[in-house]
Protein backbone atom coordinates (compact mmCIF):
# COMPACT_ATOMS: atom_id res chain seq x y z
CA UNK A 1 0.00 0.00 0.00
CA UNK A 2 1.46 3.36 1.09
CA UNK A 3 5.18 4.05 0.66
CA UNK A 4 6.86 6.18 3.30
CA UNK A 5 6.55 9.93 2.82
CA UNK A 6 9.80 11.14 4.38
CA UNK A 7 13.17 9.88 5.59
CA UNK A 8 14.28 10.85 9.10
CA UNK A 9 17.72 10.35 10.63
CA UNK A 10 17.82 10.10 14.44
CA UNK A 11 21.24 10.40 16.04
CA UNK A 12 21.07 8.69 19.44
CA UNK A 13 18.25 6.56 18.03
CA UNK A 14 18.93 3.61 20.39
CA UNK A 15 18.57 5.79 23.47
CA UNK A 16 15.55 6.42 25.68
CA UNK A 17 14.11 9.41 23.81
CA UNK A 18 15.51 8.53 20.37
CA UNK A 19 13.78 5.13 20.38
CA UNK A 20 10.41 6.65 21.35
CA UNK A 21 10.87 9.22 18.60
CA UNK A 22 11.54 6.38 16.12
CA UNK A 23 8.26 4.74 17.13
CA UNK A 24 6.36 7.99 16.61
CA UNK A 25 7.95 8.72 13.24
CA UNK A 26 7.18 5.23 11.96
CA UNK A 27 3.50 5.82 12.78
CA UNK A 28 3.78 9.08 10.80
CA UNK A 29 5.01 6.96 7.84
CA UNK A 30 8.61 8.16 7.93
CA UNK A 31 11.45 5.88 6.97
CA UNK A 32 13.76 6.01 10.00
CA UNK A 33 17.55 5.67 10.10
CA UNK A 34 18.84 5.46 13.68
CA UNK A 35 22.55 6.19 14.18
CA UNK A 36 24.01 5.35 17.58
CA UNK A 37 27.34 4.18 19.00
CA UNK A 38 25.56 2.60 22.03
CA UNK A 39 27.76 4.49 24.52
CA UNK A 40 24.74 5.00 26.82
CA UNK A 41 22.00 3.49 24.64
CA UNK A 42 20.95 -0.09 24.11
CA UNK A 43 19.73 -2.10 21.12
CA UNK A 44 17.03 -3.51 23.43
CA UNK A 45 15.28 -0.14 23.00
CA UNK A 46 14.86 -0.76 19.26
CA UNK A 47 14.78 -4.56 19.04
CA UNK A 48 11.00 -4.46 18.44
CA UNK A 49 11.80 -2.60 15.19
CA UNK A 50 14.14 -5.27 13.84
CA UNK A 51 12.76 -6.54 10.54
CA UNK A 52 10.66 -3.41 9.96
CA UNK A 53 11.47 -2.48 6.35
CA UNK A 54 11.13 1.24 7.15
CA UNK A 55 13.71 1.11 9.97
CA UNK A 56 17.48 0.91 9.68
CA UNK A 57 20.10 0.95 12.46
CA UNK A 58 23.66 2.14 11.88
CA UNK A 59 26.19 1.66 14.69
CA UNK A 60 28.37 4.76 14.38
CA UNK A 61 29.92 7.51 16.47
CA UNK A 62 28.51 10.77 15.07
CA UNK A 63 31.65 12.66 16.06
CA UNK A 64 33.05 10.93 12.94
CA UNK A 65 31.90 12.05 9.46
CA UNK A 66 28.39 10.78 8.71
CA UNK A 67 28.13 9.28 5.22
CA UNK A 68 24.64 8.35 4.03
CA UNK A 69 23.71 7.65 0.41
CA UNK A 70 19.95 7.96 1.14
CA UNK A 71 17.93 11.13 0.61
CA UNK A 72 17.08 12.67 4.01
CA UNK A 73 14.25 15.06 4.91
CA UNK A 74 14.73 15.45 8.67
CA UNK A 75 17.73 15.14 11.01
CA UNK A 76 16.86 14.78 14.71
CA UNK A 77 20.08 15.20 16.72
CA UNK A 78 19.61 13.37 20.04
CA UNK A 79 23.05 11.78 20.49
CA UNK A 80 24.61 12.72 23.84
CA UNK A 81 25.03 11.19 27.26
CA UNK A 82 22.12 12.70 29.22
CA UNK A 83 22.19 11.47 32.81
CA UNK A 84 24.46 13.38 35.23
CA UNK A 85 26.20 10.09 36.14
CA UNK A 86 26.85 9.36 32.46
CA UNK A 87 28.25 12.73 31.54
CA UNK A 88 30.40 12.89 34.68
CA UNK A 89 31.91 9.52 33.67
CA UNK A 90 32.17 10.54 30.00
CA UNK A 91 33.22 14.21 30.06
CA UNK A 92 35.23 14.23 26.82
CA UNK A 93 32.76 12.15 24.73
CA UNK A 94 30.01 14.48 26.02
CA UNK A 95 31.89 17.59 24.89
CA UNK A 96 32.79 15.93 21.57
CA UNK A 97 29.26 14.83 20.69
CA UNK A 98 27.88 18.27 21.61
CA UNK A 99 30.49 20.00 19.45
CA UNK A 100 31.76 17.66 16.68
CA UNK A 101 28.63 15.48 16.65
CA UNK A 102 26.37 18.52 16.28
CA UNK A 103 28.64 19.92 13.54
CA UNK A 104 28.50 16.63 11.59
CA UNK A 105 24.73 16.32 12.04
CA UNK A 106 24.22 19.90 10.83
CA UNK A 107 26.52 19.17 7.90
CA UNK A 108 24.39 16.15 7.00
CA UNK A 109 21.22 18.30 7.13
CA UNK A 110 22.87 20.99 4.98
CA UNK A 111 24.09 18.47 2.36
CA UNK A 112 20.70 16.81 2.12
CA UNK A 113 18.60 19.99 2.29
CA UNK A 114 16.96 18.48 5.38
CA UNK A 115 15.38 20.19 8.38
CA UNK A 116 17.38 19.81 11.61
CA UNK A 117 16.28 19.61 15.25
CA UNK A 118 18.67 19.85 18.20
CA UNK A 119 17.73 18.07 21.44
CA UNK A 120 18.94 20.76 23.84
CA UNK A 121 18.22 20.90 27.53
CA UNK A 122 16.99 22.85 30.54
CA UNK A 123 20.62 22.52 31.74
CA UNK A 124 21.34 25.50 29.45
CA UNK A 125 19.73 27.53 32.25
CA UNK A 126 22.19 26.05 34.79
CA UNK A 127 21.23 26.71 38.43
CA UNK A 128 18.61 29.27 37.41
CA UNK A 129 18.07 32.65 39.01
CA UNK A 130 14.79 33.09 37.11
CA UNK A 131 11.86 30.84 37.98
CA UNK A 132 10.07 29.36 36.10
CA UNK A 133 12.53 29.40 33.19
CA UNK A 134 11.46 31.00 29.91
CA UNK A 135 13.44 30.85 26.67
CA UNK A 136 14.66 34.46 26.94
CA UNK A 137 16.64 33.67 30.11
CA UNK A 138 20.37 33.23 29.34
CA UNK A 139 21.06 31.02 32.32
CA UNK A 140 23.44 30.71 35.25
CA UNK A 141 25.99 28.06 34.23
CA UNK A 142 29.34 27.24 35.84
CA UNK A 143 31.50 26.49 32.78
CA UNK A 144 34.30 24.80 34.74
CA UNK A 145 32.23 22.74 37.20
CA UNK A 146 31.63 19.00 36.67
CA UNK A 147 28.28 19.63 34.93
CA UNK A 148 29.91 22.21 32.64
CA UNK A 149 30.89 19.46 30.16
CA UNK A 150 27.22 18.86 29.41
CA UNK A 151 25.83 22.36 29.88
CA UNK A 152 28.47 24.08 27.77
CA UNK A 153 28.40 21.35 25.09
CA UNK A 154 24.67 21.96 24.70
CA UNK A 155 25.11 25.74 24.73
CA UNK A 156 27.76 25.40 22.01
CA UNK A 157 25.38 23.07 20.13
CA UNK A 158 22.68 25.76 20.27
CA UNK A 159 25.15 28.39 19.04
CA UNK A 160 26.33 26.34 16.05
CA UNK A 161 22.74 25.41 15.21
CA UNK A 162 21.78 29.11 15.04
CA UNK A 163 24.94 29.80 12.99
CA UNK A 164 23.94 27.14 10.42
CA UNK A 165 20.48 28.68 10.34
CA UNK A 166 21.71 32.24 9.88
CA UNK A 167 24.76 31.60 7.67
CA UNK A 168 23.73 28.49 5.68
CA UNK A 169 19.92 28.99 5.87
CA UNK A 170 19.43 25.47 7.27
CA UNK A 171 15.88 24.97 8.53
CA UNK A 172 16.81 24.43 12.20
CA UNK A 173 14.82 23.95 15.42
CA UNK A 174 16.00 23.84 19.03
CA UNK A 175 14.04 22.11 21.78
CA UNK A 176 15.05 22.65 25.41
CA UNK A 177 13.95 19.41 27.04
CA UNK A 178 13.05 19.39 30.75
CA UNK A 179 13.25 16.21 32.90
CA UNK A 180 11.44 13.47 30.99
CA UNK A 181 10.66 9.96 32.18
CA UNK A 182 9.02 6.75 30.99
CA UNK A 183 9.67 3.18 29.89
CA UNK A 184 13.13 2.38 28.42
CA UNK A 185 15.08 4.54 30.86
CA UNK A 186 18.03 2.54 32.16
CA UNK A 187 17.41 1.21 35.66
CA UNK A 188 20.94 2.21 36.71
CA UNK A 189 21.38 5.43 34.74
CA UNK A 190 21.45 7.40 37.99
CA UNK A 191 18.61 9.75 37.12
CA UNK A 192 16.16 10.26 39.93
CA UNK A 193 13.17 8.51 38.32
CA UNK A 194 14.77 5.08 37.68
CA UNK A 195 16.90 5.43 40.84
CA UNK A 196 13.92 5.89 43.20
CA UNK A 197 11.64 3.39 41.44
CA UNK A 198 14.42 0.75 41.36
CA UNK A 199 15.21 1.32 45.03
CA UNK A 200 11.53 1.23 46.04
CA UNK A 201 10.88 -1.99 44.11
CA UNK A 202 13.93 -3.67 45.70
CA UNK A 203 13.06 -2.49 49.22
CA UNK A 204 16.25 -0.39 49.44
CA UNK A 205 16.36 3.13 50.92
CA UNK A 206 15.62 5.96 48.47
CA UNK A 207 18.81 8.05 48.11
CA UNK A 208 17.83 11.72 48.40
CA UNK A 209 20.67 14.08 47.48
CA UNK A 210 20.80 17.20 49.68
CA UNK A 211 17.81 17.93 51.89
CA UNK A 212 15.35 17.05 49.10
CA UNK A 213 14.05 20.64 48.81
CA UNK A 214 15.37 21.08 45.24
CA UNK A 215 12.58 20.94 42.66
CA UNK A 216 12.07 19.26 39.30
CA UNK A 217 9.10 19.09 36.91
CA UNK A 218 8.60 15.70 35.25
CA UNK A 219 7.19 15.18 31.75
CA UNK A 220 5.95 11.85 30.42
CA UNK A 221 7.82 10.70 27.32
CA UNK A 222 4.92 10.56 24.82
CA UNK A 223 3.95 14.15 25.69
CA UNK A 224 7.53 15.26 25.11
CA UNK A 225 7.80 13.46 21.76
CA UNK A 226 4.54 15.04 20.60
CA UNK A 227 5.84 18.54 21.41
CA UNK A 228 9.12 17.82 19.61
CA UNK A 229 7.32 16.45 16.55
CA UNK A 230 5.18 19.59 16.38
CA UNK A 231 8.27 21.78 16.68
CA UNK A 232 10.07 20.03 13.81
CA UNK A 233 6.99 20.45 11.61
CA UNK A 234 6.68 24.16 12.49
CA UNK A 235 8.54 27.05 10.86
CA UNK A 236 9.84 28.36 14.21
CA UNK A 237 13.61 28.66 14.69
CA UNK A 238 14.11 30.03 18.20
CA UNK A 239 14.47 27.65 21.18
CA UNK A 240 11.27 26.19 22.65
CA UNK A 241 10.92 24.68 26.14
CA UNK A 242 9.12 21.34 26.19
CA UNK A 243 8.34 19.90 29.59
CA UNK A 244 5.60 19.52 32.15
CA UNK A 245 5.28 22.52 34.50
CA UNK A 246 3.96 20.33 37.36
CA UNK A 247 6.76 21.03 39.86
CA UNK A 248 7.61 19.08 43.01
CA UNK A 249 10.46 18.80 45.47
CA UNK A 250 12.65 15.71 45.29
CA UNK A 251 11.44 14.73 48.76
CA UNK A 252 7.80 14.94 47.56
CA UNK A 253 8.79 12.82 44.55
CA UNK A 254 10.33 10.20 46.87
CA UNK A 255 7.15 10.16 48.98
CA UNK A 256 5.01 9.65 45.85
CA UNK A 257 7.16 6.71 44.72
CA UNK A 258 6.96 5.15 48.20
CA UNK A 259 3.16 5.57 48.20
CA UNK A 260 2.59 4.24 44.67
CA UNK A 261 4.90 1.23 44.99
CA UNK A 262 3.59 0.46 48.51
CA UNK A 263 7.20 -0.22 49.50
CA UNK A 264 8.59 -0.42 53.01
CA UNK A 265 11.70 1.51 51.81
CA UNK A 266 12.87 4.47 53.87
CA UNK A 267 14.56 7.70 52.74
CA UNK A 268 18.31 8.20 53.10
CA UNK A 269 19.99 11.61 52.73
CA UNK A 270 23.28 12.01 50.81
CA UNK A 271 25.39 15.08 49.90
CA UNK A 272 24.04 17.27 47.11
CA UNK A 273 26.15 16.98 43.90
CA UNK A 274 28.13 20.09 42.90
CA UNK A 275 26.06 22.70 40.98
CA UNK A 276 22.86 20.64 41.26
CA UNK A 277 20.11 23.11 40.20
CA UNK A 278 17.97 24.14 43.19
CA UNK A 279 14.82 24.72 41.14
CA UNK A 280 13.60 23.77 37.68
CA UNK A 281 10.24 24.39 36.04
CA UNK A 282 9.54 25.13 32.39
CA UNK A 283 7.57 28.17 31.32
CA UNK A 284 5.73 26.60 28.36
CA UNK A 285 3.87 29.72 27.15
CA UNK A 286 5.87 29.66 23.90
CA UNK A 287 5.09 26.00 23.16
CA UNK A 288 1.41 26.61 23.89
CA UNK A 289 1.30 29.63 21.57
CA UNK A 290 3.50 28.44 18.68
CA UNK A 291 2.79 24.67 18.74
CA UNK A 292 -0.64 24.53 20.42
CA UNK A 293 1.04 21.97 22.69
CA UNK A 294 0.72 21.19 26.35
CA UNK A 295 1.22 17.94 28.27
CA UNK A 296 -1.74 15.56 28.49
CA UNK A 297 -0.50 12.74 30.73
CA UNK A 298 -1.01 13.26 34.47
CA UNK A 299 1.95 12.44 36.73
CA UNK A 300 0.18 9.58 38.48
CA UNK A 301 -0.70 7.85 35.19
CA UNK A 302 2.75 8.27 33.60
CA UNK A 303 4.63 7.23 36.71
CA UNK A 304 2.45 4.10 37.15
CA UNK A 305 3.26 3.00 33.58
CA UNK A 306 6.94 3.58 34.34
CA UNK A 307 6.75 1.63 37.61
CA UNK A 308 5.10 -1.26 35.71
CA UNK A 309 7.97 -1.17 33.18
CA UNK A 310 10.64 -1.33 35.89
CA UNK A 311 8.75 -3.98 37.88
CA UNK A 312 9.65 -6.50 35.16
CA UNK A 313 13.32 -5.52 35.34
CA UNK A 314 14.03 -5.54 39.06
CA UNK A 315 15.12 -8.96 40.22
P1 LIG B 1 20.15 8.30 26.34
O1 LIG B 1 21.50 8.18 26.97
O2 LIG B 1 19.18 7.20 26.59
O3 LIG B 1 20.28 8.48 24.78
C1 LIG B 1 21.37 9.12 24.16
C2 LIG B 1 21.82 8.24 23.01
O4 LIG B 1 22.89 8.89 22.31
C3 LIG B 1 22.37 6.89 23.49
O5 LIG B 1 21.74 5.84 22.79
C4 LIG B 1 23.87 6.97 23.18
O6 LIG B 1 24.44 5.72 22.93
C5 LIG B 1 23.87 7.91 21.98
N1 LIG B 1 25.15 8.59 21.75
C6 LIG B 1 25.87 9.31 22.65
N2 LIG B 1 27.00 9.78 22.08
C7 LIG B 1 26.98 9.34 20.78
C8 LIG B 1 27.87 9.49 19.67
N3 LIG B 1 29.02 10.18 19.78
N4 LIG B 1 27.54 8.92 18.49
C9 LIG B 1 26.38 8.22 18.36
N5 LIG B 1 25.51 8.04 19.37
C10 LIG B 1 25.81 8.59 20.58
O7 LIG B 1 19.56 9.72 26.81
P2 LIG B 1 18.14 10.37 26.50
O8 LIG B 1 17.50 10.68 27.78
O9 LIG B 1 17.40 9.59 25.48
O10 LIG B 1 18.59 11.76 25.88
C11 LIG B 1 18.54 12.00 24.48
C12 LIG B 1 18.84 13.47 24.19
O11 LIG B 1 17.90 14.31 24.85
C13 LIG B 1 20.22 13.90 24.68
O12 LIG B 1 20.79 14.77 23.70
C14 LIG B 1 19.93 14.67 25.95
O13 LIG B 1 20.89 15.66 26.19
C15 LIG B 1 18.56 15.26 25.64
N6 LIG B 1 17.81 15.53 26.89
C16 LIG B 1 17.19 14.52 27.56
C17 LIG B 1 16.50 14.81 28.73
C18 LIG B 1 15.73 13.76 29.49
O14 LIG B 1 15.09 14.08 30.49
N7 LIG B 1 15.70 12.51 29.07
C19 LIG B 1 16.48 16.12 29.23
C20 LIG B 1 17.16 17.11 28.53
C21 LIG B 1 17.81 16.80 27.35
N1 LIG C 1 18.63 12.89 42.90
C1 LIG C 1 18.46 12.33 44.14
N2 LIG C 1 18.75 11.00 44.30
C2 LIG C 1 19.17 10.21 43.29
C3 LIG C 1 19.33 10.77 42.01
C4 LIG C 1 19.06 12.13 41.85
O1 LIG C 1 18.06 13.00 45.10
O2 LIG C 1 19.41 9.00 43.52
C5 LIG C 1 18.32 14.32 42.72
C6 LIG C 1 19.42 15.13 42.03
O3 LIG C 1 20.36 15.59 42.98
C7 LIG C 1 18.62 16.25 41.39
C8 LIG C 1 17.28 15.58 41.05
O4 LIG C 1 17.20 14.41 41.86
O5 LIG C 1 18.40 17.29 42.32
C9 LIG C 1 17.14 15.18 39.60
O6 LIG C 1 18.30 14.46 39.25
P1 LIG C 1 18.50 13.73 37.85
O7 LIG C 1 19.80 13.01 37.92
O8 LIG C 1 17.29 12.94 37.52
O9 LIG C 1 18.60 14.88 36.75
P2 LIG C 1 18.89 16.46 36.74
O10 LIG C 1 17.56 17.09 36.82
O11 LIG C 1 19.74 16.84 37.92
O12 LIG C 1 19.57 16.66 35.45
Amino acid sequence: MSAHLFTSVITGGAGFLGSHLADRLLTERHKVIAIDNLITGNVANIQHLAGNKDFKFICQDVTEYIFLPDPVNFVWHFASPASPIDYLELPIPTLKVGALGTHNSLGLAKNKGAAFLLASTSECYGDPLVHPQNEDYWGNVNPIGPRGVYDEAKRFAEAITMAYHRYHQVNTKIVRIFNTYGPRMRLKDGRVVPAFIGQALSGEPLTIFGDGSQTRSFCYVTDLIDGIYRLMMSDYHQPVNIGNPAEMTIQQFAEEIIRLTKTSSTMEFHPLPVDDPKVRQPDISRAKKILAWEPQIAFEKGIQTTIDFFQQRVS
Side-chain angles (χ1 to χ4, degrees):
M1 212 197 42
S2 59
H4 55 261
L5 295 175
F6 298 116
T7 298
S8 274
V9 169
I10 308 174
T11 74
F16 163 49
L17 297 182
S19 65
H20 282 280
L21 176 63
D23 289 342
R24 170 67 189 263
L25 293 176
L26 288 164
T27 69
E28 303 289 345
R29 292 170 53 214
H30 289 218
K31 181 181 170 194
V32 174
I33 303 172
I35 308 180
D36 200 301
N37 66 352
L38 304 176
I39 193 169
T40 59
N42 195 321
V43 281
N45 291 334
I46 48 170
Q47 70 185 10
H48 61 288
L49 301 177
N52 183 327
K53 65 177 180 17
D54 289 334
F55 181 79
K56 183 157 88 177
F57 174 64
I58 299 173
C59 191
Q60 196 206 306
D61 182 338
V62 296
T63 67
E64 305 290 339
Y65 184 83
I66 306 167
F67 173 76
L68 274 184
D70 320 52
V72 177
N73 305 101
F74 300 98
V75 176
W76 312 74
H77 180 42
F78 279 63
S80 171
S83 140
I85 282 196
D86 288 341
Y87 57 75
L88 296 182
E89 272 175 13
L90 299 164
I92 314 285
T94 300
L95 284 158
K96 283 180 71 177
V97 73
L100 308 178
T102 305
H103 188 208
N104 288 336
S105 303
L106 279 162
L108 176 70
K110 176 170 162 274
N111 283 346
K112 302 286 183 182
F116 174 91
L117 181 139
L118 171 69
S120 186
T121 169
S122 53
E123 281 281 328
C124 286
Y125 303 121
D127 188 5
L129 306 176
V130 166
H131 192 67
Q133 294 78 54
N134 65 44
E135 294 87 346
D136 295 329
Y137 178 48
W138 291 352
N140 177 41
V141 171
N142 174 3
I144 56 165
R147 294 174 90 103
V149 297
Y150 181 67
D151 302 11
E152 296 296 8
K154 290 290 186 178
R155 286 162 68 100
F156 173 88
E158 289 199 4
I160 193 171
T161 298
M162 289 309 294
Y164 265 66
H165 176 62
R166 294 197 181 102
Y167 189 73
H168 289 309
Q169 289 80 48
V170 176
N171 178 9
T172 61
K173 326 285 151 111
I174 297 174
V175 57
R176 293 193 182 136
I177 301 171
F178 283 65
N179 295 66
T180 300
Y181 69 95
R184 300 187 198 153
M185 295 187 94
R186 259 166 43 233
L187 190 56
K188 303 274 181 204
D189 87 354
R191 286 186 271 198
V192 72
V193 174
F196 284 3
I197 295 177
Q199 290 159 347
L201 294 177
S202 329
E204 294 163 13
L206 275 60
T207 51
I208 296 184
F209 299 163
D211 63 4
S213 64
Q214 72 272 33
T215 69
R216 293 296 185 272
S217 310
F218 297 104
C219 184
Y220 189 64
V221 61
T222 52
D223 276 338
L224 179 95
I225 296 296
D226 186 51
I228 287 177
Y229 181 79
R230 288 176 191 228
L231 177 59
M232 180 63 114
M233 298 306 148
S234 78
D235 56 7
Y236 193 74
H237 305 295
Q238 296 295 311
V240 178
N241 290 340
I242 300 284
N244 190 322
E247 185 185 20
M248 64 182 88
T249 67
I250 291 302
Q251 171 145 1
Q252 283 169 337
F253 179 61
E255 287 163 357
E256 280 298 294
I257 297 298
I258 289 172
R259 182 176 71 80
L260 291 167
T261 55
K262 303 182 181 64
T263 182
S264 55
S265 294
T266 54
M267 291 185 244
E268 196 176 80
F269 291 84
H270 293 257
L272 190 67
V274 178
D275 296 332
D276 196 293
K278 285 181 269 310
V279 288
R280 185 180 289 158
Q281 182 189 34
D283 177 335
I284 59 164
S285 315
R286 187 175 282 183
K288 280 185 179 164
K289 183 160 170 246
I290 310 268
L291 310 175
W293 175 88
E294 61 185 315
Q296 305 294 325
I297 308 288
F299 174 76
E300 192 142 336
K301 181 162 182 257
I303 208 75
Q304 191 58 58
T305 309
T306 311
I307 291 170
D308 294 345
F309 170 82
F310 283 119
Q311 193 107 49
Q312 295 156 24
R313 281 154 184 85
V314 173
S315 47

